[in-house]
Amino acid sequence: MERFLEYFVPEKYVLNLGINKYDKKIGGTVSVTGVAKNETVKFHAVGLSVKEVFVNDEKADFKVEDGVLTLKKVPLGDVMVLLRYEGALNENMQGAYLSTYKYDGETEVIVATQFESHYAREAFPCIDEPGAKAIFELKLTVPESEDIVLANTPVKETKKHFKVPDGKYTIFYNDEGKKVASKYVEYVFEETPRMSTYLLAWVIGRFHGKTVKNKHGVLITTYCSLAQDIDSVDFANEIACRSLEFYDDNFGVPYPLEKLDQVALPDFEAGAMENWGLVTYRESMLLASKKATLGTKKSIALTVAHELSHQWFGDLVTMKWWDDLWLNESFASVMEYYAVDYIHPEYKIFESFFLGDCYSALFRDANDGVQSVHQDVNDPEEIATLFDGAIVYAKGARLMLMLIRLMGWENFLKGIRDYFKKYQYKNTIGDDLWEALKPYADFNPKELMHAFIDRPGYPVITSKNGDFKDYEQKRFLMNGEMKKSDWPIPEITEDMSGHYILNLSEEEFNERLDKFSELSLEEKLRLLMDRDFVTKVGLQSPVSLIQLALKFKNEDKAAVWTKISSIISNLKMYFDDDSKEEKVLKKYVLDLVSSKLDEIGLVTRKDDDENTIRLRANLLALDYYAEDMERLKKLAEMYDEDYMKMDSEVRDDILDAKIYLEPKIIDDYLEKYKEMADPEAKFDYLSAMTSVKDVKYAEKVLALLGDIETVKPQDQFYLFIFLYRNFKTREKAFLWLKENWEFVRKFSGDKSMDSYPKAISTTMRTKEELEEYRDFFSPMKNELALKRAITIGESSIQARIEQIEKEKKAVYQGLKKYFEIN
């Protein structure tokens, strides 16, 4: 793939831009100083209209073709290139884009940016590659208004203009040739540190916020729209303050900017973005009301800690090319847990890592054709596919945890400090990190990590003598085609750090099960998680899961119950929806949870700790699946029209129970969804509406697909997948997707498109569904952004079908036998 950095090395950009959000226009001048290494120089400029180019103050010929601006006969050495251009603000949540919200009956318009991975080129001409680090001096001119204007660095000065700033530019005129305003303001920002283009950012709009200062003197301001409660930023400010302090104290290089802004955006494709000094978030990932659930606070804490660790891993030190994206994301994805564990140890946040990240990494990485953590990139379309949450984030994080535990935390930090000091404001590759860590390890980090990062998959390990000193390993694959492997593993441990599965014999498994109370929590989770996985591929019988789950009817640990829930999900795939056989499974699940639910009750108590709150949530989810009418009625009686008055920790269960028993309440839920701004409330109402079982009322939710006035584009995927997972609405939801695929493309960003084939494939389990999947998605395999997800989807569905055909009868017989005995 062509690298423009080979032709020209930028040193500094001076961006003098005008932004007209009313007519969706952006434009101005970009002055770039740097070193020309070739007489041909190229800039990325996608969807931009370049008007003039000057090289060293002399007008130059140029051409723009396929998003590339090419200059010929550029003098070698130090060069200044000035480009005048115009472009459009888009609405697909990438590049420079528009976001909206309702306030006091009016629509407020925001201008925001999302430049990662390669979308800066859609906002201004540049060398849009991570290795092309430069200093940015930004000047933004906008019509005078009540808008707050933010960028990576503080405002140095503002200048007021009483006319259009530059008569050459048409961006401040509407289509009738009239000026959009009589007064304009120019915001001049301080220079940025040396950084990559994808980290540049600005936000313009009406917000309110709160500012705090951490112990190192950094001013931290968190903003939200005027429609949101200003107090909802308090929790994020607390986490940001303490996260920066934690990283400052541990990384050896202090946070280099004087301020950090965090902005909750009403429209945002991803969860958050680590723009240096101006971190942007989806509202649900930043805002916590006074009645927010513990789960919401944990999610926000992890997201904030993740993005702020990027201020070092990614911003201060950046990968040279996208194939080393894991240098940013894998580290941030494990550091977030260390930071939150430090700030709120009572959250027991590493349990979430083991049950979430570790599980999703094992599940995704067991598919043939999955990408490796370090993945070559040979085409721009492939860049978006790198952001696989289960691999680059979750698997990479687990590998980092394995490395940290092998080295020890303090030794690891010594190497990290050396790494940051040596490479600050520079670009690196993975080997630079391994070399920095090597002096502090009694093994070779490079050799170990390359083996796991450069190739996909992981081993399933079977002991030869019972103690794993002598063992054999094979690559674990869901399709059952396992071949001998040779991953280097310094030490086989039974905690949760190693990215492998232990295939215990019945004797070995029962031996550990008999001593279950003596095992550490991590050993308990590995025992259950590994057992769950080996039954998916026939290494052990899934029938054994029936008796296994029952051994934990009186278990108190929420984390263990999360794994029991996973085991139940494994069993569910063997039963057709709404069949008489599934009714037997539901009876079994009800028997499993009843005694413990009776013990802890349905209502949150004042003395409930974090474990009890999670335990109740797990049990209620299983109880809902079992269609326990007695408890559903009790939960429905707890319903209140005032969302904030309901028991916050079981609020979603209350809403689900109410609509299960009274589906006509969907109209009230829909009105609440439209009226409320609180992101947690909106999510709860949307989730509850999509769970409706009455087909007549389900039509009202299906009608929301494509209605981006009601359900924003960023939330349409969740709406679709919730409806797809509801077997009552699955067929119509998929039909809608097939008929509206081009519409989905239009409002979805590049990184979101492969979410559809990925998510759909996890639910399909019949030959008919596989054919339907192939008929729709297979023609899209020629698109690099979708090819991998579709191919893996097909193979995973096929493997599931084969497993069901092989074990379905035995599982049902095992379940019947349980009831015969009991």
PDB file of all heavy atoms in Angstrom, residues 54-82:
ATOM      1  N   PHE A  54      -0.098  26.342  -3.527  1.00  0.00           N
ATOM      2  CA  PHE A  54       1.143  27.100  -3.679  1.00  0.00           C
ATOM      3  C   PHE A  54       2.275  26.308  -3.045  1.00  0.00           C
ATOM      4  O   PHE A  54       2.109  25.727  -1.963  1.00  0.00           O
ATOM      5  CB  PHE A  54       1.038  28.467  -2.994  1.00  0.00           C
ATOM      6  CG  PHE A  54       0.024  29.384  -3.606  1.00  0.00           C
ATOM      7  CD1 PHE A  54      -1.310  29.306  -3.253  1.00  0.00           C
ATOM      8  CD2 PHE A  54       0.414  30.333  -4.555  1.00  0.00           C
ATOM      9  CE1 PHE A  54      -2.249  30.155  -3.817  1.00  0.00           C
ATOM     10  CE2 PHE A  54      -0.520  31.174  -5.125  1.00  0.00           C
ATOM     11  CZ  PHE A  54      -1.852  31.093  -4.765  1.00  0.00           C
ATOM     12  N   VAL A  55       3.395  26.237  -3.713  1.00  0.00           N
ATOM     13  CA  VAL A  55       4.594  25.602  -3.179  1.00  0.00           C
ATOM     14  C   VAL A  55       5.660  26.677  -3.043  1.00  0.00           C
ATOM     15  O   VAL A  55       6.049  27.304  -4.041  1.00  0.00           O
ATOM     16  CB  VAL A  55       5.091  24.465  -4.092  1.00  0.00           C
ATOM     17  CG1 VAL A  55       6.387  23.882  -3.545  1.00  0.00           C
ATOM     18  CG2 VAL A  55       4.033  23.370  -4.215  1.00  0.00           C
ATOM     19  N   ASN A  56       6.099  26.909  -1.809  1.00  0.00           N
ATOM     20  CA  ASN A  56       7.061  27.991  -1.533  1.00  0.00           C
ATOM     21  C   ASN A  56       6.593  29.313  -2.158  1.00  0.00           C
ATOM     22  O   ASN A  56       7.337  30.022  -2.849  1.00  0.00           O
ATOM     23  CB  ASN A  56       8.451  27.618  -2.055  1.00  0.00           C
ATOM     24  CG  ASN A  56       9.058  26.456  -1.279  1.00  0.00           C
ATOM     25  OD1 ASN A  56       8.654  26.173  -0.145  1.00  0.00           O
ATOM     26  ND2 ASN A  56      10.003  25.759  -1.882  1.00  0.00           N
ATOM     27  N   ASP A  57       5.311  29.614  -1.930  1.00  0.00           N
ATOM     28  CA  ASP A  57       4.666  30.866  -2.363  1.00  0.00           C
ATOM     29  C   ASP A  57       4.450  30.971  -3.875  1.00  0.00           C
ATOM     30  O   ASP A  57       4.000  32.019  -4.360  1.00  0.00           O
ATOM     31  CB  ASP A  57       5.467  32.090  -1.889  1.00  0.00           C
ATOM     32  CG  ASP A  57       5.502  32.193  -0.370  1.00  0.00           C
ATOM     33  OD1 ASP A  57       4.488  31.830   0.259  1.00  0.00           O
ATOM     34  OD2 ASP A  57       6.531  32.613   0.180  1.00  0.00           O
ATOM     35  N   GLU A  58       4.762  29.947  -4.617  1.00  0.00           N
ATOM     36  CA  GLU A  58       4.516  29.975  -6.063  1.00  0.00           C
ATOM     37  C   GLU A  58       3.363  29.028  -6.394  1.00  0.00           C
ATOM     38  O   GLU A  58       3.315  27.901  -5.919  1.00  0.00           O
ATOM     39  CB  GLU A  58       5.773  29.545  -6.839  1.00  0.00           C
ATOM     40  CG  GLU A  58       6.907  30.544  -6.741  1.00  0.00           C
ATOM     41  CD  GLU A  58       8.068  30.177  -7.658  1.00  0.00           C
ATOM     42  OE1 GLU A  58       7.894  29.260  -8.493  1.00  0.00           O
ATOM     43  OE2 GLU A  58       9.128  30.794  -7.537  1.00  0.00           O
ATOM     44  N   LYS A  59       2.440  29.555  -7.221  1.00  0.00           N
ATOM     45  CA  LYS A  59       1.281  28.757  -7.594  1.00  0.00           C
ATOM     46  C   LYS A  59       1.728  27.486  -8.311  1.00  0.00           C
ATOM     47  O   LYS A  59       2.604  27.531  -9.180  1.00  0.00           O
ATOM     48  CB  LYS A  59       0.347  29.577  -8.491  1.00  0.00           C
ATOM     49  CG  LYS A  59      -1.060  28.989  -8.580  1.00  0.00           C
ATOM     50  CD  LYS A  59      -2.042  29.993  -9.156  1.00  0.00           C
ATOM     51  CE  LYS A  59      -3.456  29.452  -9.119  1.00  0.00           C
ATOM     52  NZ  LYS A  59      -4.436  30.435  -9.604  1.00  0.00           N
ATOM     53  N   ALA A  60       1.107  26.368  -7.939  1.00  0.00           N
ATOM     54  CA  ALA A  60       1.546  25.078  -8.478  1.00  0.00           C
ATOM     55  C   ALA A  60       0.386  24.364  -9.155  1.00  0.00           C
ATOM     56  O   ALA A  60      -0.777  24.513  -8.773  1.00  0.00           O
ATOM     57  CB  ALA A  60       2.106  24.211  -7.352  1.00  0.00           C
ATOM     58  N   ASP A  61       0.737  23.581 -10.173  1.00  0.00           N
ATOM     59  CA  ASP A  61      -0.250  22.727 -10.813  1.00  0.00           C
ATOM     60  C   ASP A  61      -0.488  21.501  -9.925  1.00  0.00           C
ATOM     61  O   ASP A  61       0.424  21.014  -9.246  1.00  0.00           O
ATOM     62  CB  ASP A  61       0.241  22.274 -12.188  1.00  0.00           C
ATOM     63  CG  ASP A  61       0.326  23.434 -13.179  1.00  0.00           C
ATOM     64  OD1 ASP A  61      -0.462  24.385 -13.031  1.00  0.00           O
ATOM     65  OD2 ASP A  61       1.190  23.371 -14.070  1.00  0.00           O
ATOM     66  N   PHE A  62      -1.690  20.998  -9.973  1.00  0.00           N
ATOM     67  CA  PHE A  62      -2.018  19.828  -9.152  1.00  0.00           C
ATOM     68  C   PHE A  62      -3.191  19.103  -9.790  1.00  0.00           C
ATOM     69  O   PHE A  62      -3.895  19.638 -10.660  1.00  0.00           O
ATOM     70  CB  PHE A  62      -2.395  20.259  -7.734  1.00  0.00           C
ATOM     71  CG  PHE A  62      -3.656  21.075  -7.660  1.00  0.00           C
ATOM     72  CD1 PHE A  62      -4.898  20.472  -7.426  1.00  0.00           C
ATOM     73  CD2 PHE A  62      -3.628  22.452  -7.835  1.00  0.00           C
ATOM     74  CE1 PHE A  62      -6.063  21.214  -7.370  1.00  0.00           C
ATOM     75  CE2 PHE A  62      -4.797  23.204  -7.776  1.00  0.00           C
ATOM     76  CZ  PHE A  62      -6.013  22.586  -7.538  1.00  0.00           C
ATOM     77  N   LYS A  63      -3.399  17.880  -9.335  1.00  0.00           N
ATOM     78  CA  LYS A  63      -4.607  17.158  -9.719  1.00  0.00           C
ATOM     79  C   LYS A  63      -5.113  16.376  -8.512  1.00  0.00           C
ATOM     80  O   LYS A  63      -4.332  15.968  -7.641  1.00  0.00           O
ATOM     81  CB  LYS A  63      -4.343  16.231 -10.903  1.00  0.00           C
ATOM     82  CG  LYS A  63      -3.514  15.002 -10.588  1.00  0.00           C
ATOM     83  CD  LYS A  63      -3.497  14.044 -11.786  1.00  0.00           C
ATOM     84  CE  LYS A  63      -2.706  12.768 -11.449  1.00  0.00           C
ATOM     85  NZ  LYS A  63      -2.734  11.794 -12.564  1.00  0.00           N
ATOM     86  N   VAL A  64      -6.427  16.232  -8.458  1.00  0.00           N
ATOM     87  CA  VAL A  64      -7.052  15.443  -7.400  1.00  0.00           C
ATOM     88  C   VAL A  64      -7.830  14.315  -8.061  1.00  0.00           C
ATOM     89  O   VAL A  64      -8.702  14.558  -8.895  1.00  0.00           O
ATOM     90  CB  VAL A  64      -7.993  16.295  -6.543  1.00  0.00           C
ATOM     91  CG1 VAL A  64      -8.638  15.429  -5.455  1.00  0.00           C
ATOM     92  CG2 VAL A  64      -7.251  17.468  -5.919  1.00  0.00           C
ATOM     93  N   GLU A  65      -7.457  13.102  -7.702  1.00  0.00           N
ATOM     94  CA  GLU A  65      -8.091  11.931  -8.309  1.00  0.00           C
ATOM     95  C   GLU A  65      -8.208  10.826  -7.273  1.00  0.00           C
ATOM     96  O   GLU A  65      -7.236  10.500  -6.588  1.00  0.00           O
ATOM     97  CB  GLU A  65      -7.255  11.448  -9.495  1.00  0.00           C
ATOM     98  CG  GLU A  65      -7.931  10.381 -10.334  1.00  0.00           C
ATOM     99  CD  GLU A  65      -7.115  10.036 -11.569  1.00  0.00           C
ATOM    100  OE1 GLU A  65      -5.909  10.335 -11.607  1.00  0.00           O
ATOM    101  OE2 GLU A  65      -7.701   9.473 -12.504  1.00  0.00           O
ATOM    102  N   ASP A  66      -9.425  10.289  -7.122  1.00  0.00           N
ATOM    103  CA  ASP A  66      -9.672   9.198  -6.163  1.00  0.00           C
ATOM    104  C   ASP A  66      -9.215   9.548  -4.755  1.00  0.00           C
ATOM    105  O   ASP A  66      -8.629   8.732  -4.034  1.00  0.00           O
ATOM    106  CB  ASP A  66      -8.985   7.914  -6.623  1.00  0.00           C
ATOM    107  CG  ASP A  66      -9.557   7.390  -7.929  1.00  0.00           C
ATOM    108  OD1 ASP A  66     -10.763   7.607  -8.175  1.00  0.00           O
ATOM    109  OD2 ASP A  66      -8.794   6.785  -8.708  1.00  0.00           O
ATOM    110  N   GLY A  67      -9.480  10.783  -4.355  1.00  0.00           N
ATOM    111  CA  GLY A  67      -9.148  11.206  -2.996  1.00  0.00           C
ATOM    112  C   GLY A  67      -7.689  11.488  -2.755  1.00  0.00           C
ATOM    113  O   GLY A  67      -7.262  11.616  -1.600  1.00  0.00           O
ATOM    114  N   VAL A  68      -6.886  11.627  -3.837  1.00  0.00           N
ATOM    115  CA  VAL A  68      -5.448  11.890  -3.700  1.00  0.00           C
ATOM    116  C   VAL A  68      -5.101  13.166  -4.466  1.00  0.00           C
ATOM    117  O   VAL A  68      -5.404  13.302  -5.653  1.00  0.00           O
ATOM    118  CB  VAL A  68      -4.606  10.718  -4.235  1.00  0.00           C
ATOM    119  CG1 VAL A  68      -3.118  11.058  -4.186  1.00  0.00           C
ATOM    120  CG2 VAL A  68      -4.896   9.453  -3.432  1.00  0.00           C
ATOM    121  N   LEU A  69      -4.478  14.112  -3.764  1.00  0.00           N
ATOM    122  CA  LEU A  69      -3.975  15.340  -4.391  1.00  0.00           C
ATOM    123  C   LEU A  69      -2.505  15.125  -4.720  1.00  0.00           C
ATOM    124  O   LEU A  69      -1.702  14.801  -3.835  1.00  0.00           O
ATOM    125  CB  LEU A  69      -4.143  16.523  -3.438  1.00  0.00           C
ATOM    126  CG  LEU A  69      -3.761  17.912  -3.941  1.00  0.00           C
ATOM    127  CD1 LEU A  69      -4.542  18.988  -3.201  1.00  0.00           C
ATOM    128  CD2 LEU A  69      -2.263  18.204  -3.794  1.00  0.00           C
ATOM    129  N   THR A  70      -2.127  15.299  -5.986  1.00  0.00           N
ATOM    130  CA  THR A  70      -0.755  15.051  -6.434  1.00  0.00           C
ATOM    131  C   THR A  70      -0.122  16.341  -6.941  1.00  0.00           C
ATOM    132  O   THR A  70      -0.723  17.069  -7.736  1.00  0.00           O
ATOM    133  CB  THR A  70      -0.729  14.006  -7.559  1.00  0.00           C
ATOM    134  OG1 THR A  70      -1.353  12.802  -7.097  1.00  0.00           O
ATOM    135  CG2 THR A  70       0.704  13.687  -7.975  1.00  0.00           C
ATOM    136  N   LEU A  71       1.105  16.596  -6.457  1.00  0.00           N
ATOM    137  CA  LEU A  71       1.923  17.727  -6.926  1.00  0.00           C
ATOM    138  C   LEU A  71       3.159  17.168  -7.610  1.00  0.00           C
ATOM    139  O   LEU A  71       3.776  16.235  -7.118  1.00  0.00           O
ATOM    140  CB  LEU A  71       2.345  18.617  -5.759  1.00  0.00           C
ATOM    141  CG  LEU A  71       1.242  19.266  -4.920  1.00  0.00           C
ATOM    142  CD1 LEU A  71       1.854  19.960  -3.705  1.00  0.00           C
ATOM    143  CD2 LEU A  71       0.451  20.251  -5.744  1.00  0.00           C
ATOM    144  N   LYS A  72       3.532  17.770  -8.720  1.00  0.00           N
ATOM    145  CA  LYS A  72       4.730  17.357  -9.452  1.00  0.00           C
ATOM    146  C   LYS A  72       5.794  18.451  -9.355  1.00  0.00           C
ATOM    147  O   LYS A  72       5.498  19.615  -9.119  1.00  0.00           O
ATOM    148  CB  LYS A  72       4.401  17.105 -10.924  1.00  0.00           C
ATOM    149  CG  LYS A  72       3.382  15.998 -11.178  1.00  0.00           C
ATOM    150  CD  LYS A  72       3.998  14.614 -11.036  1.00  0.00           C
ATOM    151  CE  LYS A  72       3.035  13.540 -11.497  1.00  0.00           C
ATOM    152  NZ  LYS A  72       3.617  12.186 -11.378  1.00  0.00           N
ATOM    153  N   LYS A  73       7.028  18.065  -9.591  1.00  0.00           N
ATOM    154  CA  LYS A  73       8.171  18.987  -9.650  1.00  0.00           C
ATOM    155  C   LYS A  73       8.318  19.825  -8.381  1.00  0.00           C
ATOM    156  O   LYS A  73       8.589  21.026  -8.401  1.00  0.00           O
ATOM    157  CB  LYS A  73       8.046  19.919 -10.866  1.00  0.00           C
ATOM    158  CG  LYS A  73       8.038  19.173 -12.199  1.00  0.00           C
ATOM    159  CD  LYS A  73       7.903  20.112 -13.364  1.00  0.00           C
ATOM    160  CE  LYS A  73       7.871  19.338 -14.672  1.00  0.00           C
ATOM    161  NZ  LYS A  73       7.709  20.222 -15.854  1.00  0.00           N
ATOM    162  N   VAL A  74       8.149  19.167  -7.262  1.00  0.00           N
ATOM    163  CA  VAL A  74       8.347  19.841  -5.976  1.00  0.00           C
ATOM    164  C   VAL A  74       9.832  19.826  -5.648  1.00  0.00           C
ATOM    165  O   VAL A  74      10.487  18.787  -5.750  1.00  0.00           O
ATOM    166  CB  VAL A  74       7.551  19.123  -4.867  1.00  0.00           C
ATOM    167  CG1 VAL A  74       7.830  19.754  -3.510  1.00  0.00           C
ATOM    168  CG2 VAL A  74       6.059  19.148  -5.191  1.00  0.00           C
ATOM    169  N   PRO A  75      10.402  20.972  -5.272  1.00  0.00           N
ATOM    170  CA  PRO A  75      11.832  20.983  -4.945  1.00  0.00           C
ATOM    171  C   PRO A  75      12.125  20.122  -3.719  1.00  0.00           C
ATOM    172  O   PRO A  75      11.359  20.114  -2.756  1.00  0.00           O
ATOM    173  CB  PRO A  75      12.127  22.453  -4.670  1.00  0.00           C
ATOM    174  CG  PRO A  75      10.817  23.068  -4.362  1.00  0.00           C
ATOM    175  CD  PRO A  75       9.796  22.315  -5.163  1.00  0.00           C
ATOM    176  N   LEU A  76      13.207  19.389  -3.750  1.00  0.00           N
ATOM    177  CA  LEU A  76      13.575  18.539  -2.627  1.00  0.00           C
ATOM    178  C   LEU A  76      14.021  19.384  -1.447  1.00  0.00           C
ATOM    179  O   LEU A  76      14.510  20.505  -1.601  1.00  0.00           O
ATOM    180  CB  LEU A  76      14.690  17.583  -3.038  1.00  0.00           C
ATOM    181  CG  LEU A  76      14.376  16.618  -4.188  1.00  0.00           C
ATOM    182  CD1 LEU A  76      15.595  15.746  -4.490  1.00  0.00           C
ATOM    183  CD2 LEU A  76      13.174  15.748  -3.870  1.00  0.00           C
ATOM    184  N   GLY A  77      13.866  18.842  -0.260  1.00  0.00           N
ATOM    185  CA  GLY A  77      14.299  19.550   0.942  1.00  0.00           C
ATOM    186  C   GLY A  77      13.148  20.274   1.609  1.00  0.00           C
ATOM    187  O   GLY A  77      11.976  19.906   1.467  1.00  0.00           O
ATOM    188  N   ASP A  78      13.473  21.332   2.359  1.00  0.00           N
ATOM    189  CA  ASP A  78      12.462  22.076   3.103  1.00  0.00           C
ATOM    190  C   ASP A  78      11.472  22.743   2.156  1.00  0.00           C
ATOM    191  O   ASP A  78      11.868  23.445   1.215  1.00  0.00           O
ATOM    192  CB  ASP A  78      13.125  23.138   3.979  1.00  0.00           C
ATOM    193  CG  ASP A  78      13.965  22.517   5.087  1.00  0.00           C
ATOM    194  OD1 ASP A  78      13.740  21.329   5.391  1.00  0.00           O
ATOM    195  OD2 ASP A  78      14.847  23.204   5.626  1.00  0.00           O
ATOM    196  N   VAL A  79      10.208  22.533   2.421  1.00  0.00           N
ATOM    197  CA  VAL A  79       9.150  23.021   1.528  1.00  0.00           C
ATOM    198  C   VAL A  79       7.973  23.518   2.365  1.00  0.00           C
ATOM    199  O   VAL A  79       7.691  22.989   3.440  1.00  0.00           O
ATOM    200  CB  VAL A  79       8.666  21.898   0.581  1.00  0.00           C
ATOM    201  CG1 VAL A  79       7.442  22.338  -0.207  1.00  0.00           C
ATOM    202  CG2 VAL A  79       9.760  21.482  -0.370  1.00  0.00           C
ATOM    203  N   MET A  80       7.299  24.551   1.846  1.00  0.00           N
ATOM    204  CA  MET A  80       6.031  24.983   2.431  1.00  0.00           C
ATOM    205  C   MET A  80       4.958  24.862   1.360  1.00  0.00           C
ATOM    206  O   MET A  80       5.073  25.450   0.282  1.00  0.00           O
ATOM    207  CB  MET A  80       6.111  26.429   2.918  1.00  0.00           C
ATOM    208  CG  MET A  80       4.923  26.839   3.803  1.00  0.00           C
ATOM    209  SD  MET A  80       3.482  27.386   2.895  1.00  0.00           S
ATOM    210  CE  MET A  80       3.984  29.047   2.475  1.00  0.00           C
ATOM    211  N   VAL A  81       3.925  24.091   1.654  1.00  0.00           N
ATOM    212  CA  VAL A  81       2.815  23.890   0.732  1.00  0.00           C
ATOM    213  C   VAL A  81       1.571  24.543   1.328  1.00  0.00           C
ATOM    214  O   VAL A  81       1.212  24.271   2.473  1.00  0.00           O
ATOM    215  CB  VAL A  81       2.551  22.394   0.476  1.00  0.00           C
ATOM    216  CG1 VAL A  81       1.369  22.215  -0.488  1.00  0.00           C
ATOM    217  CG2 VAL A  81       3.790  21.701  -0.063  1.00  0.00           C
ATOM    218  N   LEU A  82       0.919  25.410   0.552  1.00  0.00           N
ATOM    219  CA  LEU A  82      -0.312  26.061   0.984  1.00  0.00           C
ATOM    220  C   LEU A  82      -1.445  25.579   0.090  1.00  0.00           C
ATOM    221  O   LEU A  82      -1.378  25.671  -1.140  1.00  0.00           O
ATOM    222  CB  LEU A  82      -0.181  27.588   0.884  1.00  0.00           C
ATOM    223  CG  LEU A  82      -1.438  28.382   1.263  1.00  0.00           C
ATOM    224  CD1 LEU A  82      -1.684  28.289   2.762  1.00  0.00           C
ATOM    225  CD2 LEU A  82      -1.313  29.839   0.835  1.00  0.00           C
TER     226      LEU A  82
END
